[in-house]
Amino acid sequence: MAQIAKVEVFHVDWGRGKSAWVRLWTDAGECGLGEASPMHNGNASLELIRTFTPHLLGADPLDVRLLQDRLFHAFIKTGPDGALAGALAAVDIALWDLKGKLLGQPIYKLLGGAWRTQLPFYASVGNNAGRSVEEVCRVVEEWMRLEPSLVKIRFDGDRTQRDRDIPGDIAKARAVRKLVGDAFPLAFDANNGYSVQGAIRVGRALEELGYAWFEEPVQHYHMESFAKVAAALDIAVAAGEQEYTLQGVKRLIEAGVEIVQPDIVKTGGFTGLMDMAVLARTYGVDLVPHQTQPSVGHRANLHFVAALAHAHYPCEYNDKSGTQDVVFTRPLGPVNGLFTLPDTPGLGLELAEAELQQRILPWRNP
Ligand code: CA
């Protein structure tokens, strides 16, 4: 039996931003790589993972679900949402990577097999609240060169305000529709920017413009507002990137959300997302995972979606800069609009160790 012999918790410094990663090493020198949600540099999750260390050392890395349930309940008083779920996600992804390497199989195979190993993506185009209509169109045009299967325009406005520029937002949605043509799939992400009345007004415009989904129209914690918006509109309402538990996602579904979007680096990794898939299937809603980390998180998400039945929508792809490619020997970019998963063990990510070492900032107690 392999045993976990070392837990390595660290930031990777990309110059403009940091990732929160973990490596779990076995006594035989094999390692698995995982990533936590990067919000506020993932500091809270990294500290939790450091605190998990005594629970992980000596454990069998194949005991993936056992370890997750044990850690979840041991640390539940830190709050089951947010940082704890992100810490569990990082550990879980690293354990699945390790499990794949120990068993000589890609993760999608261990999840039950791939429906597809060539995965289409959707361009997740952020920060449109601060752009003019022309700038929004220019940025979308750039993304279209990579041949996405769908484009989502995100607004990322000031979270302390709402309904700031509804006519302007609708004008941007209309301009993008005109740019890509009537048949091309589009989605609209309000980033929690509207009141109920504002959301219904925007949602009706999106229905007329043929948008596929309307994401996070209202504050994510206002289930009653979601229910009012979903009841008033025909367009599918999407949400879930700010939910971390089965119960949280269940509440969204019961409020009328038709597309749930839990995130593999926030919601307990593969183990957490597999549970979410069962939940979505039980209720007959679509699971379209949120995922905006360009390397580890993205790759983990591709494995998950490869093995997901009823994957009706493409995978999110948010950062086409290639900044993180430098620490991998064979980074994966989209070719003809598709990401092709390798059949190598685990995540199939091979680190360029010398490059990585230059960017590692080990996590310490402040
Ligand atoms: Ca979003």
Side-chain angles (χ1 to χ4, degrees):
M1 177 190 106
Q3 283 189 11
I4 298 170
K6 185 179 163 194
V7 179
E8 196 185 359
V9 189
F10 56 95
H11 279 127
V12 188
D13 187 356
W14 305 112
R16 54 174 190 104
K18 290 177 192 164
S19 296
W21 288 5
V22 58
R23 283 201 290 191
L24 302 177
W25 295 83
T26 68
D27 47 352
E30 194 65 83
C31 97
L33 178 63
E35 174 162 34
S37 169
M39 300 301 154
H40 305 282
N41 292 326
N43 291 347
S45 291
L46 289 187
E47 179 56 20
L48 279 163
I49 300 167
R50 192 190 65 77
T51 319
F52 294 165
T53 302
H55 298 257
L56 290 168
L57 293 177
D60 181 343
L62 298 182
D63 289 346
V64 182
R65 188 175 280 273
L66 171 73
L67 287 168
Q68 177 152 139
D69 279 340
R70 186 181 284 158
L71 289 167
F72 178 76
H73 288 99
F75 288 84
I76 200 160
K77 298 271 180 168
T78 60
D81 294 286
L84 176 57
L88 293 171
V91 169
D92 187 84
I93 293 167
L95 286 169
W96 277 92
D97 187 28
L98 198 44
K99 182 174 174 176
K101 288 175 178 172
L102 293 172
L103 300 177
Q105 297 289 337
I107 291 173
Y108 61 73
K109 188 66 86 175
L110 301 176
L111 293 172
W115 288 87
R116 53 200 83 77
T117 52
Q118 292 195 308
L119 295 112
F121 73 93
Y122 79 79
S124 184
V125 185
N127 299 313
N128 291 306
R131 292 193 180 111
S132 66
V133 173
E134 294 71 29
E135 285 167 337
V136 171
C137 287
R138 187 180 51 76
V139 176
V140 170
E141 229 169 353
E142 270 171 33
W143 270 99
M144 290 298 282
R145 291 188 203 126
L146 292 179
E147 301 179 54
S149 296
L150 179 152
V151 168
K152 180 172 92 183
I153 49 170
R154 304 182 347 236
F155 281 76
D156 299 304
D158 180 346
R159 288 181 171 276
T160 64
Q161 297 190 36
R162 63 180 198 184
D163 300 343
R164 240 186 98 245
D165 184 16
I166 287 178
D169 297 348
I170 293 172
K172 289 169 191 174
R174 183 168 287 124
V176 171
R177 169 52 76 208
K178 196 169 170 212
L179 175 75
V180 299
D182 284 345
F184 191 84
L186 289 171
F188 184 106
D189 185 351
N191 298 103
N192 318 101
Y194 300 126
S195 66
V196 169
Q197 292 74 20
I200 292 169
R201 192 171 150 205
V202 173
R204 285 190 181 134
L206 296 176
E207 286 170 353
E208 208 184 290
L209 293 167
Y211 274 62
W213 79 73
F214 186 15
E215 184 168 325
E216 293 203 304
V218 292
Q219 292 292 356
H220 81 276
Y221 43 78
H222 281 160
M223 295 297 156
E224 297 80 1
S225 300
F226 268 109
K228 289 174 190 165
V229 172
L233 295 174
D234 294 327
I235 188 172
V237 173
E241 69 178 85
Q242 301 183 78
E243 295 296 340
Y244 303 86
T245 62
L246 279 169
Q247 292 74 19
V249 173
K250 178 171 173 275
R251 281 192 290 272
L252 279 177
I253 296 170
E254 288 173 346
V257 166
E258 292 285 352
I259 294 177
V260 292
Q261 304 170 297
D263 184 320
I264 200 161
V265 304
K266 296 180 173 182
T267 313
F270 290 99
T271 303
L273 237 55
M274 279 193 291
D275 289 348
M276 296 292 178
V278 175
L279 182 68
R281 198 167 174 172
T282 305
Y283 279 93
V285 301
D286 278 304
L287 173 60
V288 185
H290 175 268
Q291 180 40 236
T292 54
Q293 296 316 294
S295 60
V296 183
H298 180 69
R299 181 67 66 93
N301 190 52
L302 292 181
H303 277 273
F304 176 77
V305 175
L308 179 68
H310 312 297
H312 298 127
Y313 291 101
C315 293
E316 184 164 20
Y317 183 46
N318 164 68
D319 178 358
K320 58 181 165 54
S321 69
T323 307
Q324 299 191 14
D325 289 355
V326 294
V327 302
F328 299 102
T329 56
R330 280 188 296 261
L332 202 61
V335 178
N336 301 326
L338 295 169
F339 285 93
T340 301
L341 275 174
D343 61 1
T344 43
L347 290 168
L349 283 170
E350 201 177 297
L351 284 163
E353 192 64 33
E355 281 293 337
L356 178 67
Q357 287 303 330
Q358 290 181 21
R359 292 162 187 277
I360 281 186
L361 306 168
W363 177 254
R364 291 183 200 89
N365 237 342

